Amino acid sequence: MDSDQLRATVVGFLGAFAVLGALLYLVGVGDLLDVLRGASLDTVALVIVVTLGWLVAWSVALRTVLGVLGIQLSVVRSFLVFSGAMFSNNVTPFGQAGGEPVTALLIAKVADTEYERGLAAIASVDTLNFVPSITLALVGAAYFATETTFGTRLQLATGVVVALALLVPGLVYLGWRNRYALERRIVAAFVPLIRRIARVVPVFAAPTEESVESRIGHFFGAIERVATDRTGIAVSLAASTLGWIFQMIALYLAFLAIDQPVPFSAMLFVVPMGAIAGVTPLPGGAGGIEAVLVAVLAALPSVPVSATAALGAVVIYRGAVYWVPVIIGGTVVSVIGADSVG
């Protein structure tokens, strides 16, 4: 990690601590600790097991996409690589956007393949993961709309989901239709910049325009292979949906752990809303995701849960979803980094 990345990460974590500190101040540290002390350890252990199920499901999606691209990894290696990917997402600002380049390098090293193919694989998985999250959120919103009238906060949240459901696919479609023009603009913008860097850092060899075009072409070619493989897409979407369901079960169990049961239908809406907060410039969305989850949970109609109970369940849930992949993935990244140095 270079100095700029390190600085951005440190600033991101400071921001996350500030948001979490404000949340704790509003809820009350003492009240939160009382809730956590009364949590069932057996149910908390189930939250961790379900979290592992989420990692396995999404690693199957990654393995499927890699298989479409001609890269064969075992289920275990795919699990370890995906855990490394989640570690990268959780320690870099802007979540997946910040962690994807590191993840692509990890895939390239483990699978002994080109960086562009690894980047195409993880970008495809992230895109496919978006589809079931928005779909489930819309289903949850529709369910609650039939039960009661939404307040202002939930109307806003639902509007965000609907906007993303329309905006993101549209941007992906436009980007793909204009990929060759996009390729030319990337080359025109980055090649001169890289050459200037190469003049300042003599050990850094400046690439030619042809080599950059070739790499971008390989990236788009890999994306096209994934996009045209219907079986691969179907399997990946099924695995992704299962992963989201595991996350929802984990949050549901977290509420059971503190003896504050909530309807599982609420998880359909709440968990994807929290994931949207992962695009904030906070490492892994830490702080932002917790704040959004608590705010949405407290605003849900017909779900009588206090802000303290909501935060207690979210702490257990996020403790598993954030730290389990950080521990496993951090170990993977460290071992691979040590092997590379050796």
Side-chain angles (χ1 to χ4, degrees):
M1 182 179 291
D2 59 32
S3 59
D4 290 338
Q5 289 176 315
L6 180 60
R7 190 180 303 112
T9 299
V10 170
V11 171
F13 274 112
L14 290 176
F17 292 146
V19 174
L20 289 172
L23 195 57
L24 287 172
Y25 174 78
L26 293 173
V27 172
V29 177
D31 292 339
L32 175 63
L33 290 178
D34 288 340
V35 170
L36 294 178
R37 287 193 193 101
S40 166
L41 295 181
D42 290 341
T43 309
V44 171
L46 281 177
V47 173
I48 296 174
V49 171
V50 172
T51 298
L52 291 172
W54 155 61
L55 287 174
V56 170
W58 280 14
S59 67
V60 169
L62 176 61
R63 181 174 183 264
T64 301
V65 170
L66 289 173
V68 172
L69 297 177
I71 302 171
Q72 301 301 323
L73 288 183
S74 66
V75 174
V76 173
R77 287 171 72 86
S78 298
F79 172 79
L80 294 176
V81 169
F82 183 76
S83 297
M86 293 307 302
F87 167 78
S88 300
N89 292 344
N90 286 346
V91 300
T92 54
F94 295 101
Q96 293 173 336
E100 279 189 346
V102 179
T103 302
L105 183 61
L106 178 63
I107 294 173
K109 287 184 176 181
V110 172
D112 191 24
T113 187
E114 302 89 355
Y115 177 83
E116 297 79 20
R117 196 177 296 187
L119 183 60
I122 192 61
S124 298
V125 171
D126 287 342
T127 303
L128 290 170
N129 284 341
F130 170 82
V131 176
S133 70
I134 293 298
T135 302
L136 291 170
L138 290 174
V139 170
Y143 171 80
F144 279 106
T146 63
E147 295 292 314
T148 186
T149 302
F150 278 6
T152 303
R153 278 190 290 178
L154 287 183
Q155 288 177 352
L156 177 61
T158 304
V160 170
V161 173
V162 173
L164 286 174
L166 298 174
L167 181 62
V168 173
L171 290 176
V172 171
Y173 175 76
L174 288 176
W176 182 251
R177 285 291 303 269
N178 298 280
R179 60 188 181 278
Y180 298 115
L182 183 61
E183 176 182 336
R184 290 192 295 270
R185 291 178 181 177
I186 293 174
V187 172
F190 282 94
V191 170
L193 176 62
I194 296 174
R195 286 176 177 171
R196 284 196 292 270
I197 295 174
R199 286 196 293 269
V200 177
V201 186
V203 296
F204 180 76
T208 63
E209 289 189 9
E210 290 76 14
S211 65
V212 174
E213 288 178 355
S214 176
R215 285 177 175 270
I216 296 175
H218 288 157
F219 170 77
F220 282 131
I223 293 290
E224 186 170 3
R225 286 179 63 181
V226 175
T228 55
D229 192 305
R230 294 183 179 179
T231 301
I233 289 178
V235 173
S236 298
L237 284 175
S240 175
T241 302
L242 181 61
W244 281 113
I245 292 174
F246 274 129
Q247 285 198 48
M248 294 169 187
I249 293 173
L251 182 55
Y252 176 78
L253 289 173
F255 276 101
L256 291 183
I258 61 172
D259 197 24
Q260 292 284 333
V262 298
F264 184 79
S265 56
M267 304 300 100
L268 294 174
F269 185 70
V270 171
V271 171
M273 286 305 305
I276 292 172
V279 301
T280 58
L282 302 172
I289 291 178
E290 287 80 1
V292 169
L293 286 174
V294 171
V296 175
L297 282 163
L300 281 177
S302 70
V303 179
V305 58
S306 66
T308 303
L311 181 57
V314 167
V315 166
I316 295 171
Y317 163 72
R318 284 286 293 165
V321 171
Y322 185 90
W323 285 107
V324 168
V326 163
I327 294 171
I328 299 174
T331 303
V332 172
V333 172
S334 298
V335 170
I336 291 176
D339 289 344
S340 299
V341 174

